[in-house]
Each structure stands twice: as structure tokens, then as C-alpha cells.
Amino acid sequence: MADTSDTRTPAQIEADIKRRREMLAETLDEIGVRVHPKTIVGDAKAKVVSNIDHTLGRAYVGVNRAVSDVKAQFVDEEGAPRLERVVPVALVVVGLVGLLALGTRRRKG
């Protein structure tokens, strides 16, 4: 059988009831905030932004690595240009620009 004797005074019982009501009110307020549409939308936006930031960070690292790899092909460890690689690429670029310029001139003329 359960012990039904309570040694608390009526004032203590009332204080306990008041404290529990306040705790319950706080809990209900928290639940209300969590299920509010603005909170749900805000949480969803934050998650999307976090995912975008993560994706952009990974993309930045990938692009940075690719740029470093390309740079390493045209610059030595001391930062000096590797002319044996720069000159042929420059000639190809100049040739392509020249061909594009000729093609544009022929269409207009």
C-alpha cells in the first residue's frame, strides 16, 4: 500500500503547486515557440544557409586546389615563371585571339 501521509504544511503544498504551475507555463511557452511557423521557417532557413555555406566552402577549397595545381605548372617553387611552359601557352592564347578577331572581322565585312 502507498504511503498517503504528507508532512507538508498547506503553505508548502500551495508553494509547490505554484512552482509546478510556473514550470508548466514555461514548458508550454517553449513548446509554443518551437511549433510557431516563424520558428519552423527560421530553423529551415538556418539549415539551408548552413548547407550552402558548407557546399560553398568545399567548392572554394576545390577551386583553390585547382588554381594552386595550375599555378604550380607555370611557376617554380621560388615563384619564378617557368618560361618553357609559359611561352607556348601564351603563343596559343595569342593565336586563338587572332583567329577570333579575324573571324569577327570577316563576318562584319
Side-chain angles (χ1 to χ4, degrees):
M1 219 186 220
D3 183 17
T4 58
S5 63
D6 194 351
T7 58
R8 297 179 295 166
T9 65
Q12 290 172 326
I13 294 172
E14 285 179 22
D16 189 34
I17 291 171
K18 182 179 177 185
R19 183 180 53 80
R20 288 178 188 230
R21 278 186 185 150
E22 289 171 357
M23 288 174 52
L24 180 60
E26 286 179 26
T27 302
L28 290 174
D29 287 345
E30 286 180 27
I31 291 171
V33 168
R34 287 183 187 177
V35 299
H36 193 278
K38 286 184 180 181
T39 302
I40 294 170
V41 169
D43 290 347
K45 283 182 183 179
K47 188 172 184 176
V48 168
V49 168
S50 174
N51 288 338
I52 289 172
D53 286 347
H54 182 70
T55 302
L56 289 176
R58 287 185 12 217
Y60 175 79
V61 168
V63 168
N64 194 25
R65 184 178 301 129
V67 168
S68 295
D69 291 347
V70 170
K71 182 180 176 184
Q73 297 296 317
F74 296 102
V75 179
D76 64 16
E77 295 81 22
E78 298 168 2
R82 294 181 175 180
L83 294 179
E84 71 277 5
R85 292 186 179 170
V86 172
V87 171
V89 172
L91 290 174
V92 169
V93 170
V94 168
L96 288 174
V97 169
L99 287 173
L100 288 172
L102 285 175
T104 303
R105 183 179 289 169
R106 285 186 181 166
R107 281 190 225 142
K108 288 183 180 179

